[in-house]
Amino acid sequence: DLLKTIRKVAATNSNVLLVGETGTGKELFAREIHTAGSNNEAKFVSVNCGIRPVEQLEAQLFGVSDGQPGLFQTAGAGTVFLDEIAQLPLGTQTELLRAIEDQEVMPSGASEPIAVQTRIIAATSRDLMREVSEGNFQEDLFYRLDGVKIRIPPLRERLDDIPELAEYFTAKHC
């Protein structure tokens, strides 16, 4: 059922929010959405939103005016996967909201924005609505990401997957 949902979502170019416990394979599902989508030949790039210092994270996401492109530019028409989006600092959330709403990013030190057309797949193990109510996550960004939300259940709820996973890992490590 989860793979059917992912294939339906992949056929659109909608931003997606993957929600699940740590270790449920959210990045694997994000890659599957990208691979099953129409822009699957474009790049898939990922970043952990807990990177510190914030300046390093913003440079990695949005680029630097000296010509160092950010992940949004690097991905082009592809996908940027934002892992643990709840850890994104509030100021960076504002820049991400701009990337979603206006389809442009402002590299650090630049005076002109750069147009982007990247699909965003975000993932979190936290309750983003609670993060919003506690003032840790911007409400506007939450609603932009929450349009297509997919819950990734833990393996203990997907027992039918265990034989296939066992075969995969046995073959990989033999």
Side-chain angles (χ1 to χ4, degrees), residues 31-72:
R31 287 182 186 278
E32 180 62 27
I33 292 168
H34 173 76
T35 301
S38 61
N39 291 335
N40 60 1
E41 292 185 18
K43 290 186 179 182
F44 176 95
V45 293
S46 68
V47 65
N48 184 312
C49 294
I51 292 174
R52 298 293 185 266
V54 173
E55 295 77 20
Q56 179 183 352
L57 174 63
E58 290 183 355
Q60 188 174 9
L61 285 172
F62 310 119
V64 180
S65 65
D66 68 4
Q68 176 189 340
L71 293 181
F72 281 90

Short mmCIF file of all heavy atoms in Angstrom, two decimals, residues 31-72:
data_model
loop_
_atom_site.label_atom_id
_atom_site.label_comp_id
_atom_site.label_asym_id
_atom_site.label_seq_id
_atom_site.Cartn_x
_atom_site.Cartn_y
_atom_site.Cartn_z
N ARG A 31 14.06 8.46 -2.12
CA ARG A 31 14.73 8.08 -3.37
C ARG A 31 13.77 7.35 -4.31
O ARG A 31 13.81 7.55 -5.52
CB ARG A 31 15.95 7.22 -3.08
CG ARG A 31 17.11 8.01 -2.51
CD ARG A 31 18.35 7.13 -2.28
NE ARG A 31 19.39 7.88 -1.61
CZ ARG A 31 20.24 8.69 -2.23
NH1 ARG A 31 20.17 8.85 -3.53
NH2 ARG A 31 21.16 9.34 -1.54
N GLU A 32 12.90 6.53 -3.76
CA GLU A 32 11.92 5.82 -4.59
C GLU A 32 10.94 6.80 -5.22
O GLU A 32 10.57 6.65 -6.40
CB GLU A 32 11.17 4.78 -3.74
CG GLU A 32 10.15 3.99 -4.51
CD GLU A 32 10.72 3.15 -5.65
OE1 GLU A 32 11.90 2.75 -5.59
OE2 GLU A 32 9.97 2.89 -6.62
N ILE A 33 10.50 7.81 -4.48
CA ILE A 33 9.62 8.84 -5.05
C ILE A 33 10.33 9.54 -6.21
O ILE A 33 9.76 9.72 -7.29
CB ILE A 33 9.19 9.86 -3.97
CG1 ILE A 33 8.27 9.19 -2.96
CG2 ILE A 33 8.51 11.07 -4.61
CD1 ILE A 33 8.01 10.03 -1.71
N HIS A 34 11.58 9.90 -6.00
CA HIS A 34 12.36 10.57 -7.05
C HIS A 34 12.52 9.65 -8.27
O HIS A 34 12.27 10.06 -9.40
CB HIS A 34 13.73 10.98 -6.52
CG HIS A 34 14.63 11.51 -7.58
ND1 HIS A 34 14.48 12.78 -8.10
CD2 HIS A 34 15.67 10.95 -8.23
CE1 HIS A 34 15.40 12.97 -9.04
NE2 HIS A 34 16.14 11.87 -9.12
N THR A 35 12.91 8.41 -8.04
CA THR A 35 13.17 7.47 -9.13
C THR A 35 11.90 7.16 -9.92
O THR A 35 11.96 7.00 -11.15
CB THR A 35 13.76 6.15 -8.56
OG1 THR A 35 14.97 6.48 -7.87
CG2 THR A 35 14.06 5.15 -9.64
N ALA A 36 10.76 7.10 -9.26
CA ALA A 36 9.50 6.81 -9.94
C ALA A 36 8.89 8.04 -10.59
O ALA A 36 7.91 7.92 -11.34
CB ALA A 36 8.52 6.19 -8.95
N GLY A 37 9.46 9.22 -10.35
CA GLY A 37 8.90 10.45 -10.88
C GLY A 37 9.34 10.76 -12.30
O GLY A 37 10.23 10.10 -12.86
N SER A 38 8.75 11.78 -12.86
CA SER A 38 9.05 12.16 -14.25
C SER A 38 10.42 12.80 -14.41
O SER A 38 10.97 12.79 -15.51
CB SER A 38 7.97 13.11 -14.76
OG SER A 38 7.93 14.28 -13.98
N ASN A 39 10.99 13.36 -13.35
CA ASN A 39 12.32 13.98 -13.42
C ASN A 39 13.40 13.07 -12.83
O ASN A 39 14.38 13.54 -12.26
CB ASN A 39 12.32 15.33 -12.69
CG ASN A 39 11.51 16.37 -13.42
OD1 ASN A 39 11.33 16.29 -14.62
ND2 ASN A 39 11.00 17.34 -12.69
N ASN A 40 13.23 11.77 -13.00
CA ASN A 40 14.15 10.82 -12.36
C ASN A 40 15.57 10.86 -12.92
O ASN A 40 16.48 10.33 -12.31
CB ASN A 40 13.58 9.40 -12.41
CG ASN A 40 13.36 8.92 -13.83
OD1 ASN A 40 13.63 9.62 -14.80
ND2 ASN A 40 12.83 7.71 -13.95
N GLU A 41 15.76 11.46 -14.08
CA GLU A 41 17.12 11.58 -14.62
C GLU A 41 17.86 12.78 -14.04
O GLU A 41 19.07 12.89 -14.17
CB GLU A 41 17.08 11.64 -16.14
CG GLU A 41 16.62 10.31 -16.73
CD GLU A 41 16.68 10.29 -18.24
OE1 GLU A 41 17.37 11.13 -18.83
OE2 GLU A 41 16.03 9.41 -18.82
N ALA A 42 17.11 13.68 -13.40
CA ALA A 42 17.73 14.81 -12.72
C ALA A 42 18.30 14.31 -11.40
O ALA A 42 18.06 13.20 -10.97
CB ALA A 42 16.70 15.92 -12.50
N LYS A 43 19.05 15.17 -10.74
CA LYS A 43 19.76 14.76 -9.51
C LYS A 43 18.83 14.64 -8.30
O LYS A 43 17.83 15.34 -8.19
CB LYS A 43 20.86 15.76 -9.19
CG LYS A 43 22.01 15.69 -10.16
CD LYS A 43 23.13 16.60 -9.70
CE LYS A 43 24.28 16.49 -10.69
NZ LYS A 43 25.41 17.29 -10.29
N PHE A 44 19.24 13.75 -7.42
CA PHE A 44 18.65 13.61 -6.09
C PHE A 44 19.76 13.96 -5.12
O PHE A 44 20.82 13.32 -5.12
CB PHE A 44 18.19 12.17 -5.85
CG PHE A 44 17.65 11.93 -4.46
CD1 PHE A 44 16.30 12.01 -4.21
CD2 PHE A 44 18.51 11.62 -3.41
CE1 PHE A 44 15.80 11.77 -2.92
CE2 PHE A 44 18.03 11.38 -2.13
CZ PHE A 44 16.67 11.46 -1.89
N VAL A 45 19.57 15.00 -4.31
CA VAL A 45 20.58 15.39 -3.33
C VAL A 45 19.92 15.46 -1.96
O VAL A 45 18.75 15.79 -1.84
CB VAL A 45 21.25 16.74 -3.67
CG1 VAL A 45 22.08 16.62 -4.94
CG2 VAL A 45 20.23 17.85 -3.83
N SER A 46 20.69 15.11 -0.94
CA SER A 46 20.11 15.11 0.41
C SER A 46 21.00 15.87 1.37
O SER A 46 22.21 15.99 1.16
CB SER A 46 19.89 13.68 0.90
OG SER A 46 21.11 13.04 1.13
N VAL A 47 20.36 16.38 2.40
CA VAL A 47 21.07 17.10 3.45
C VAL A 47 20.38 16.83 4.78
O VAL A 47 19.15 16.73 4.84
CB VAL A 47 21.13 18.62 3.16
CG1 VAL A 47 19.75 19.25 3.18
CG2 VAL A 47 22.05 19.34 4.12
N ASN A 48 21.18 16.70 5.82
CA ASN A 48 20.64 16.57 7.16
C ASN A 48 20.48 17.99 7.71
O ASN A 48 21.45 18.74 7.80
CB ASN A 48 21.57 15.75 8.06
CG ASN A 48 20.98 15.53 9.43
OD1 ASN A 48 20.51 16.45 10.08
ND2 ASN A 48 21.01 14.29 9.87
N CYS A 49 19.27 18.35 8.09
CA CYS A 49 18.99 19.72 8.54
C CYS A 49 19.55 20.04 9.91
O CYS A 49 19.43 21.16 10.37
CB CYS A 49 17.49 19.96 8.50
SG CYS A 49 16.83 19.95 6.83
N GLY A 50 20.17 19.08 10.56
CA GLY A 50 20.78 19.32 11.86
C GLY A 50 22.22 19.80 11.75
O GLY A 50 22.89 19.97 12.77
N ILE A 51 22.71 20.03 10.53
CA ILE A 51 24.10 20.48 10.34
C ILE A 51 24.31 21.82 11.06
O ILE A 51 23.49 22.72 10.97
CB ILE A 51 24.42 20.68 8.85
CG1 ILE A 51 24.43 19.34 8.14
CG2 ILE A 51 25.76 21.38 8.66
CD1 ILE A 51 24.62 19.47 6.63
N ARG A 52 25.40 21.91 11.77
CA ARG A 52 25.79 23.16 12.43
C ARG A 52 27.23 23.46 12.06
O ARG A 52 27.99 22.54 11.82
CB ARG A 52 25.66 23.04 13.95
CG ARG A 52 24.24 22.77 14.43
CD ARG A 52 23.32 23.97 14.15
NE ARG A 52 21.99 23.79 14.69
CZ ARG A 52 20.95 23.31 14.03
NH1 ARG A 52 21.08 22.90 12.80
NH2 ARG A 52 19.77 23.23 14.59
N PRO A 53 27.67 24.65 11.93
CA PRO A 53 26.93 25.89 12.19
C PRO A 53 25.90 26.18 11.10
O PRO A 53 25.98 25.64 9.99
CB PRO A 53 28.02 26.95 12.22
CG PRO A 53 29.10 26.42 11.36
CD PRO A 53 29.06 24.93 11.54
N VAL A 54 24.95 27.04 11.42
CA VAL A 54 23.86 27.38 10.52
C VAL A 54 24.39 27.93 9.20
O VAL A 54 23.84 27.63 8.14
CB VAL A 54 22.91 28.40 11.20
CG1 VAL A 54 21.86 28.90 10.24
CG2 VAL A 54 22.27 27.78 12.43
N GLU A 55 25.46 28.72 9.25
CA GLU A 55 26.02 29.29 8.03
C GLU A 55 26.44 28.20 7.06
O GLU A 55 26.28 28.33 5.85
CB GLU A 55 27.21 30.21 8.34
CG GLU A 55 26.85 31.45 9.15
CD GLU A 55 26.62 31.18 10.64
OE1 GLU A 55 27.08 30.13 11.17
OE2 GLU A 55 25.97 32.02 11.28
N GLN A 56 26.99 27.12 7.59
CA GLN A 56 27.41 26.00 6.74
C GLN A 56 26.19 25.34 6.09
O GLN A 56 26.21 25.01 4.91
CB GLN A 56 28.19 24.97 7.56
CG GLN A 56 28.65 23.77 6.74
CD GLN A 56 29.37 22.73 7.60
OE1 GLN A 56 29.65 22.97 8.77
NE2 GLN A 56 29.65 21.60 7.01
N LEU A 57 25.13 25.15 6.86
CA LEU A 57 23.90 24.56 6.34
C LEU A 57 23.32 25.44 5.24
O LEU A 57 22.95 24.95 4.17
CB LEU A 57 22.88 24.37 7.46
CG LEU A 57 21.50 23.89 7.04
CD1 LEU A 57 21.56 22.51 6.40
CD2 LEU A 57 20.55 23.89 8.24
N GLU A 58 23.24 26.76 5.49
CA GLU A 58 22.65 27.66 4.49
C GLU A 58 23.50 27.72 3.23
O GLU A 58 22.97 27.76 2.12
CB GLU A 58 22.44 29.05 5.10
CG GLU A 58 21.32 29.03 6.12
CD GLU A 58 21.01 30.40 6.70
OE1 GLU A 58 21.72 31.38 6.39
OE2 GLU A 58 20.05 30.48 7.48
N ALA A 59 24.82 27.71 3.37
CA ALA A 59 25.69 27.68 2.19
C ALA A 59 25.47 26.39 1.41
O ALA A 59 25.43 26.40 0.17
CB ALA A 59 27.15 27.82 2.60
N GLN A 60 25.31 25.28 2.12
CA GLN A 60 25.08 24.01 1.45
C GLN A 60 23.74 24.01 0.73
O GLN A 60 23.63 23.52 -0.39
CB GLN A 60 25.14 22.87 2.46
CG GLN A 60 25.11 21.50 1.81
CD GLN A 60 25.32 20.38 2.82
OE1 GLN A 60 25.34 20.58 4.03
NE2 GLN A 60 25.47 19.18 2.31
N LEU A 61 22.72 24.58 1.33
CA LEU A 61 21.39 24.60 0.72
C LEU A 61 21.27 25.62 -0.41
O LEU A 61 20.80 25.29 -1.50
CB LEU A 61 20.33 24.90 1.78
CG LEU A 61 19.97 23.79 2.74
CD1 LEU A 61 19.05 24.33 3.84
CD2 LEU A 61 19.30 22.64 2.01
N PHE A 62 21.66 26.86 -0.12
CA PHE A 62 21.36 27.97 -1.02
C PHE A 62 22.54 28.49 -1.83
O PHE A 62 22.37 29.28 -2.75
CB PHE A 62 20.73 29.12 -0.22
CG PHE A 62 19.58 28.66 0.65
CD1 PHE A 62 19.63 28.81 2.02
CD2 PHE A 62 18.46 28.07 0.09
CE1 PHE A 62 18.59 28.38 2.83
CE2 PHE A 62 17.41 27.64 0.88
CZ PHE A 62 17.47 27.79 2.26
N GLY A 63 23.76 28.07 -1.48
CA GLY A 63 24.94 28.49 -2.22
C GLY A 63 25.58 29.74 -1.65
O GLY A 63 25.11 30.33 -0.68
N VAL A 64 26.69 30.12 -2.29
CA VAL A 64 27.46 31.30 -1.89
C VAL A 64 27.69 32.12 -3.15
O VAL A 64 27.89 31.58 -4.24
CB VAL A 64 28.80 30.88 -1.24
CG1 VAL A 64 29.61 32.09 -0.82
CG2 VAL A 64 28.55 29.96 -0.06
N SER A 65 27.70 33.43 -3.00
CA SER A 65 27.79 34.32 -4.16
C SER A 65 29.07 34.16 -4.97
O SER A 65 29.12 34.56 -6.12
CB SER A 65 27.65 35.78 -3.72
OG SER A 65 28.74 36.15 -2.88
N ASP A 66 30.13 33.56 -4.39
CA ASP A 66 31.38 33.41 -5.13
C ASP A 66 31.32 32.29 -6.18
O ASP A 66 32.33 31.91 -6.74
CB ASP A 66 32.55 33.17 -4.17
CG ASP A 66 32.49 31.83 -3.45
OD1 ASP A 66 31.57 31.03 -3.73
OD2 ASP A 66 33.35 31.60 -2.59
N GLY A 67 30.13 31.78 -6.41
CA GLY A 67 29.98 30.76 -7.44
C GLY A 67 29.79 29.35 -6.91
O GLY A 67 29.58 28.42 -7.68
N GLN A 68 29.87 29.18 -5.59
CA GLN A 68 29.62 27.86 -5.02
C GLN A 68 28.12 27.61 -5.02
O GLN A 68 27.38 28.25 -4.27
CB GLN A 68 30.17 27.79 -3.60
CG GLN A 68 29.87 26.48 -2.89
CD GLN A 68 30.23 26.55 -1.41
OE1 GLN A 68 31.02 27.38 -0.98
NE2 GLN A 68 29.64 25.67 -0.63
N PRO A 69 27.64 26.70 -5.87
CA PRO A 69 26.19 26.48 -5.95
C PRO A 69 25.69 25.71 -4.73
O PRO A 69 26.40 24.90 -4.15
CB PRO A 69 26.02 25.65 -7.22
CG PRO A 69 27.32 24.93 -7.37
CD PRO A 69 28.37 25.87 -6.81
N GLY A 70 24.45 25.98 -4.36
CA GLY A 70 23.81 25.25 -3.28
C GLY A 70 23.09 24.02 -3.83
O GLY A 70 23.04 23.81 -5.06
N LEU A 71 22.54 23.22 -2.95
CA LEU A 71 21.88 22.00 -3.37
C LEU A 71 20.66 22.26 -4.25
O LEU A 71 20.37 21.46 -5.14
CB LEU A 71 21.48 21.17 -2.15
CG LEU A 71 22.63 20.59 -1.33
CD1 LEU A 71 22.11 19.78 -0.16
CD2 LEU A 71 23.54 19.75 -2.19
N PHE A 72 19.98 23.37 -4.04
CA PHE A 72 18.83 23.67 -4.89
C PHE A 72 19.27 23.92 -6.33
O PHE A 72 18.60 23.49 -7.27
CB PHE A 72 18.05 24.89 -4.35
CG PHE A 72 17.17 24.54 -3.20
CD1 PHE A 72 17.64 24.61 -1.90
CD2 PHE A 72 15.86 24.13 -3.41
CE1 PHE A 72 16.82 24.27 -0.83
CE2 PHE A 72 15.04 23.78 -2.35
CZ PHE A 72 15.53 23.86 -1.05
#
